Amino acid sequence: MAKQGAGDLLGLGRAAQSAHSATLRARTTTADKVVPSVCPYCAVGCGQRVYVQDGEITQIEGDPDSPVSRGRLCPKGAASKQLVTGPGREYKVKYRRPHSRTWEDLPLSKAMDMIADRVIKTRRETWQQEDPEKGTLRRTMGIASLGGATLDNEENYLMKKLYTALGAIQIENQARI
């Protein structure tokens, strides 16, 4: 009552604040940096702000500057901090050999070499240089790409360049931002 009489008649400001709550600060105020990102869950591509302190993610919130979501996130997007910091997150490359029932850990360098070997093999085996009826083709129908809305136009542009250089002609994306 005394606080309300001192100028906060509705009890919405200092009158409603305890000494403890007066010392509290938002988790986002102590962040070293804020990194813009895109929610990884669906094809909408909602903007996110990732707050980082001492190299650790402390908070993920909707980005009010995003033309897609204007700061709003669905429940999955709002909980995406758990995706990157949760105890169940894998930090190793997992590989399951054909017909195997178990996963094994692989070094990243070995996994990258396996991917490169498969791309080269597929391109070599499916390369079409010429067709008697259509003439010169210089393409592969064994490699295709479908970029999602969590990729922005610049990332899809780079993917288009990569796949075109490989000779792929089936390249699509659904970027929205």
Side-chain angles (χ1 to χ4, degrees):
M1 263 327 220
K3 288 182 184 179
Q4 288 175 331
D8 189 8
L9 299 177
L10 297 177
L12 299 176
R14 291 182 319 131
Q17 189 177 54
S18 69
H20 173 69
S21 63
T23 64
L24 298 177
R25 299 288 174 260
R27 289 181 290 244
T28 57
T29 60
T30 58
D32 299 326
K33 61 182 175 179
V34 181
V35 181
S37 187
V38 178
C39 181
Y41 282 109
C42 73
V44 173
C46 296
Q48 292 182 321
R49 289 184 176 172
V50 180
Y51 295 85
V52 180
Q53 181 178 359
D54 299 326
E56 300 289 326
I57 295 173
T58 58
Q59 182 71 11
I60 298 178
E61 295 181 351
D63 185 353
D65 295 329
S66 168
V68 175
S69 57
R70 296 177 289 172
R72 297 172 186 86
L73 293 174
C74 72
K76 285 170 66 174
S80 60
K81 179 179 177 241
Q82 295 172 14
L83 177 69
V84 294
T85 62
R89 179 176 172 90
E90 291 286 348
Y91 290 93
K92 298 177 183 173
V93 175
K94 297 289 188 182
Y95 177 68
R96 192 176 73 183
R97 297 186 182 279
H99 311 291
S100 175
R101 294 183 180 189
T102 60
W103 293 89
E104 61 184 276
D105 294 342
L106 286 184
L108 178 60
S109 59
K110 180 171 181 166
M112 296 298 285
D113 287 343
M114 290 170 68
I115 292 168
D117 291 343
R118 291 172 183 180
V119 168
I120 292 167
K121 180 178 185 254
T122 300
R123 184 178 184 271
R124 186 178 296 128
E125 291 175 356
T126 61
W127 186 255
Q128 299 173 335
Q129 182 65 27
E130 293 187 34
D131 181 274
E133 296 175 17
K134 299 176 185 171
T136 304
L137 298 174
R138 288 194 292 262
R139 70 180 187 191
T140 177
M141 298 295 280
I143 299 173
S145 171
L146 175 60
T150 56
L151 301 171
D152 61 29
N153 285 334
E154 290 78 14
E155 291 165 321
N156 277 303
Y157 174 80
L158 293 173
M159 289 176 61
K160 167 74 170 149
K161 289 293 198 183
L162 168 67
Y163 289 113
T164 299
L166 289 171
I169 60 171
Q170 303 170 114
I171 307 163
E172 296 291 337
N173 76 65
Q174 57 178 31
R176 296 181 183 182
I177 56 174

